[in-house]
Amino acid sequence: EMFLYEIGVDENYRQKGIAKELIDSLKRTCLDKGIKIIFVETSLDNPAARQLYKSTSGEEEVTAWFTYNLDDEITAGKNTSR
């Protein structure tokens, strides 16, 4: 499995197919290494990213994403399990 954390193209070079080529290159590299699935997360309110992933044959799924903000726990004086 591969998790694509983030992809970005300088704003001066956007809308030129660079992001699509980066994703296609990553897909080829993964296939060469026997990796058969790539995960990528984006916000529902990011239509440009969602369109990019759809246009490169990504399948949109509904999933829960959990975040642990440990700074909040430390500030609140909560003791985390050890």
Side-chain angles (χ1 to χ4, degrees):
E1 297 176 346
M2 164 68 71
F3 187 87
L4 174 59
Y5 180 74
E6 187 170 355
I7 188 168
V9 174
D10 184 280
E11 63 184 55
N12 294 319
Y13 297 95
R14 292 181 186 161
Q15 299 298 314
K16 298 179 190 242
I18 295 171
K20 285 183 181 182
E21 184 55 39
L22 288 170
I23 291 174
D24 287 343
S25 179
L26 176 63
K27 288 163 60 177
R28 287 190 301 272
T29 298
C30 287
L31 285 171
D32 288 347
K33 299 198 175 288
I35 298 169
K36 298 182 180 183
I37 190 164
I38 300 172
F39 297 100
V40 61
E41 178 268 335
T42 193
S43 299
L44 292 174
D45 63 353
N46 188 342
R50 292 172 69 198
Q51 181 56 39
L52 169 66
Y53 301 135
K54 287 177 185 178
S55 73
T56 52
S57 71
E59 297 177 20
E60 191 169 51
E61 298 179 7
V62 178
T63 187
W65 186 267
F66 295 87
T67 303
Y68 295 93
N69 189 336
L70 301 181
D71 285 338
D72 290 347
E73 290 189 22
I74 292 168
T75 302
K78 293 180 183 176
N79 186 10
T80 59
S81 300
R82 294 182 187 177

